[in-house]
Amino acid sequence: ISKTLADCVGLTPTEAETLASARTLTSAYAVICSEASRQLLALAVGVSSLSSEALPADLRFLDQAALENHGNKHVVAAGMAMRGVLEGSPVLTSSKGKRIEAFSEAPFAHAVASQILQEVSKSVNVELSCPQGVFTAGKDSLRVSTSGIDTVLLPLSESLLRAAALGNARTRELSAAMAEAGAGAEVA
């Protein structure tokens, strides 16, 4: 690849090798980011579900029919994963909790992050299996097209930050509820 870059663009062999190595490094970082993101999203589903039970929050938004009304399979999957963590909990059928955006927006934030993560994974797989962007079989070659890794990592980061911001908001809600409960216990 270095010789090809040097010939086509007029780079020195050292510059071409550095550029090729940077691409490999980007792919390595993308592999690490995608796996860490997958684990983070799985953890976020559990934490958001369990914290909604601790508060308690109004969880009617996790009703399957309500989720399906959004018409997005990723929203349905994220919501059903949250619901699965709470299976058997009375909080799922109770509407006594209050509606809190930090909880009700979680399936959407997780769905967006999941969709972008799928795109990152596709880009990483294509990049790793065909770093030049062309599959060659005999005399024939097939150009491979996908979003570049560098174009999907920023949206992935932004979507994960949105999920984290909702997590922080849930933490504030829980802290306020605990402080309120503690103040009520001291008065009694």
Side-chain angles (χ1 to χ4, degrees):
I1 189 168
S2 312
K3 180 136 177 60
T4 306
L5 283 172
D7 293 341
C8 293
V9 189
L11 299 175
T12 67
T14 304
E15 291 170 331
E17 190 59 42
T18 301
L19 183 58
S21 297
R23 189 172 184 176
T24 303
L25 188 58
T26 301
S27 297
Y29 282 133
V31 168
I32 293 167
C33 287
S34 61
E35 184 53 33
S37 298
R38 192 176 339 282
Q39 292 174 8
L40 179 66
L41 283 173
L43 181 63
V45 166
V47 170
S48 60
S49 299
L50 295 175
S51 61
S52 64
E53 184 175 39
L55 193 52
D58 180 356
L59 297 180
R60 289 179 287 180
F61 67 91
L62 290 179
D63 179 67
Q64 187 166 356
L67 290 168
E68 288 173 353
N69 282 336
H70 296 291
N72 182 302
K73 68 179 182 180
H74 296 283
V75 171
V76 173
M80 294 310 292
M82 289 177 67
R83 186 175 177 83
V85 172
L86 295 170
E87 197 60 46
S89 172
V91 74
L92 279 176
T93 55
S94 171
S95 60
K96 292 180 182 177
K98 59 182 182 174
R99 187 188 181 287
I100 302 169
E101 183 180 329
F103 292 97
S104 61
E105 291 298 313
F108 301 101
H110 295 172
V112 168
S114 294
Q115 283 181 288
I116 296 171
L117 180 57
Q118 282 183 350
E119 186 63 29
V120 170
S121 295
K122 283 185 215 172
S123 296
V124 167
N125 287 335
V126 167
E127 183 65 31
L128 293 176
S129 62
C130 186
Q132 294 82 21
V134 177
F135 284 116
T136 304
K139 296 179 184 177
D140 299 323
S141 63
L142 173 64
R143 186 99 185 121
V144 177
S145 169
T146 185
S147 300
I149 292 171
D150 54 341
T151 64
V152 290
L153 285 177
L154 180 60
L156 176 63
S157 299
E158 291 170 340
S159 68
L160 292 172
L161 287 172
R162 172 67 179 142
L166 290 172
N168 288 338
R170 284 190 301 274
T171 301
R172 284 191 297 277
E173 290 286 342
L174 284 167
S175 295
M178 290 171 55
E180 192 176 296
E186 288 177 12
V187 172

